């Protein structure tokens, strides 16, 4: 029994001594590996800043610039890690890590399909020139200014100053209306005049009023006017014109100005803008019998 204990102790001592000798022999390589990792850490930061500065001159989309700089950092750090493992003569360990990373990547990819699809969608959106930061867009029932395009969410700031985070996948799979791609937008509004009105004069007055209210409209021919139907209490018409603007707020302001000016012009020229009137008619004469007693 004592001999077995001594043999086990000797084997353990020899094993620990061997590990210690191996550690001492590889101590220079360990220091070199640590130095390599430190150098590549600072090198990755410098490379990311350099790439960001170079591509920002050609690419004006901040989200795409940030993604490229992050990818640069990851690649440089990965190169430093592989080189450090090579210095430590851990090539087999490196191959094992690569194989395990492949299997783990497959498992993680299957488990995180939704997250990865949003990530790839974010990369695709970052390369799209039709959607950039600062654009005013409308998509998935939300409308606002594009604040951020990350690897996960598409962030929109609505007119009420609330932030809406939409998954990138939903942006790619649904239509997007971008108000900022063009410098002009069409404004339209509906109104109605009384049946006693001079329709030709109403059309002329409306076009002249709109042309005077907006500086970019040079003449009345640029204002569209169409009577649409005989309504229940008015003859309804549609008026359309173009304004300079790339955000939805400009459209709201234009409609507000148009309604105010049209109301002033119609009031000045005694043109009635009727509102629905409901008339109640009773064909039967109603009589009250004060002496009548309620039935019991």
């Amino acid at each position: 029994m004592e001999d077995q204990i001594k043999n086990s102790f000797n084997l353990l001592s020899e094993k620990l001594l061997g590990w210690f000798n191996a550690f001492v022999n590889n101590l220079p390589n360990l220091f070199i590996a640590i130095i390599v990792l430190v150098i590549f850490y600072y090198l990755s930061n410098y490379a990311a800043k350099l790439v960001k500065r170079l591509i920002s001159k050609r690419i004006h989309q901040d989200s795409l610039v940030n993604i490229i700089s992050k990818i640069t950092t990851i690649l440089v750090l990965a190169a430093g890690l592989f080189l450090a493992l090579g210095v430590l003569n851990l090539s087999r360990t490196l191959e094992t890590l690569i194989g395990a990373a492949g299997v783990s990547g497959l498992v993680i990819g299957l488990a995180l399909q939704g997250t990865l699809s949003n990530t790839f969608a974010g990369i695709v959106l970052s390369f799209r020139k039709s959607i950039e930061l600062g654009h005013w867009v409308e998509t998935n029932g939300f409308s606002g200014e594009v604040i951020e395009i990350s690897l996960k969410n598409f962030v929109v700031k609505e007119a009420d100053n609330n932030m809406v985070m939409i998954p990138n996948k939903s942006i790619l799979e649904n239509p997007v209306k971008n108000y900022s791609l063009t410098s002009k937008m069409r404004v339209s509004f509906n109104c109605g005049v009384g049946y006693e009105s001079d329709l030709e004069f109403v059309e002329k007055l409306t076009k002249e009023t709109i042309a005077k209210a907006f500086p970019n409209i040079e003449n009345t021919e640029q204002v569209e006017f169409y009577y649409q139907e005989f309504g229940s209490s008015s003859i309804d018409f549609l008026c359309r014109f173009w304004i300079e603007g790339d955000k939805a707020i400009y459209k709201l302001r234009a409609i507000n100005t148009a309604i105010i000016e049209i109301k002033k012009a119609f009031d000045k020229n005694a043109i009635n803008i009727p509102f629905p009137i409901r008339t109640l008619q009773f064909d039967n004469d109603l009589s009250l019998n004060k002496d009548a007693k309620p039935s019991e």
Side-chain angles (χ1 to χ4, degrees):
M1 186 67 179
E2 294 181 357
D3 294 337
Q4 292 180 353
I5 294 175
K6 290 181 179 180
N7 293 333
S8 300
F9 181 77
N10 292 332
L11 291 174
L12 180 61
S13 301
E14 292 176 359
K15 196 69 173 179
L16 292 175
L17 184 61
W19 288 350
F20 178 76
N21 292 332
F23 175 77
V24 173
N25 292 332
N26 289 320
L27 206 56
N29 293 338
L30 181 61
F31 283 120
I32 294 174
I34 294 175
I35 293 173
V36 168
L37 288 176
V38 173
I39 292 174
F40 271 83
Y41 172 76
Y42 287 102
L43 185 62
S44 64
N45 293 332
Y46 175 77
K49 293 179 181 179
L50 179 62
V51 170
K52 189 174 184 178
R53 184 165 58 252
L54 292 176
I55 64 177
S56 61
K57 297 179 180 179
R58 296 186 177 182
I59 302 175
H60 302 288
Q61 191 165 352
D62 294 337
S63 60
L64 181 57
V65 174
N66 293 332
I67 289 174
I68 294 176
S69 62
K70 289 179 181 179
I71 293 176
T72 303
T73 302
I74 294 173
L75 291 177
V76 174
L77 287 176
L81 177 61
F82 292 156
L83 184 60
L85 291 175
V87 171
L88 294 173
N89 297 322
L90 297 177
S91 57
R92 292 184 178 179
T93 304
L94 181 61
E95 294 175 357
T96 304
L97 289 175
I98 295 176
V103 176
S104 301
L106 179 60
V107 175
I108 294 173
L110 293 175
L112 301 176
Q113 291 182 1
T115 302
L116 292 177
S117 62
N118 284 326
T119 300
F120 285 110
I123 296 175
V124 173
L125 289 174
S126 298
F127 279 97
R128 277 191 174 183
K129 295 182 178 180
S130 58
I131 302 178
E132 297 182 359
L133 301 181
H135 283 186
W136 190 276
V137 300
E138 182 178 340
T139 180
N140 292 275
F142 301 98
S143 177
E145 181 183 358
V146 180
I147 299 299
E148 181 184 359
I149 304 176
S150 65
L151 293 179
K152 185 179 180 181
N153 295 319
F154 186 88
V155 184
V156 174
K157 182 180 179 181
E158 292 189 304
D160 56 3
N161 208 36
N162 287 325
M163 300 292 183
V164 181
M165 291 173 286
I166 308 172
N168 292 327
K169 184 179 178 181
S170 299
I171 302 298
L172 288 181
E173 294 178 348
N174 292 282
V176 179
K177 181 187 289 187
N178 194 336
Y179 293 94
S180 302
L181 292 181
T182 56
S183 59
K184 290 185 177 182
M185 61 175 57
R186 172 174 279 179
V187 177
S188 61
F189 68 94
N190 298 88
C191 188
V193 293
Y195 278 88
E196 73 282 357
S197 304
D198 184 347
L199 300 184
E200 294 180 353
F201 177 72
V202 169
E203 179 179 355
K204 179 182 177 181
L205 179 62
T206 302
K207 288 184 176 181
E208 291 177 352
T209 302
I210 296 298
K212 292 179 181 179
F214 297 94
N216 64 292
I217 302 178
E218 299 178 356
N219 51 64
T220 57
E221 294 181 357
Q222 296 180 353
V223 181
E224 300 180 36
F225 185 97
Y226 305 102
Y227 285 108
Q228 291 187 301
E229 63 178 353
F230 293 97
S232 58
S233 57
S234 64
I235 299 178
D236 301 328
F237 65 84
L238 169 68
C239 183
R240 301 191 302 190
F241 56 93
W242 293 90
I243 62 169
E244 300 288 341
D246 57 358
K247 293 185 178 181
I249 187 63
Y250 295 112
K251 184 176 182 179
L252 296 176
R253 291 173 181 172
I255 294 176
N256 180 73
T257 300
I259 291 176
I260 292 174
E261 296 301 324
I262 289 295
K263 181 64 167 58
K264 290 180 180 179
F266 283 7
D267 289 345
K268 185 177 180 180
N269 291 272
I271 298 176
N272 179 33
I273 303 178
F275 53 87
I277 299 176
R278 180 172 297 177
T279 302
L280 300 179
Q281 181 177 353
F282 299 95
D283 295 332
N284 298 327
D285 294 333
L286 297 179
S287 60
L288 297 177
N289 189 353
K290 297 182 180 180
D291 298 331
K293 296 181 179 179
S295 58
E296 296 181 356

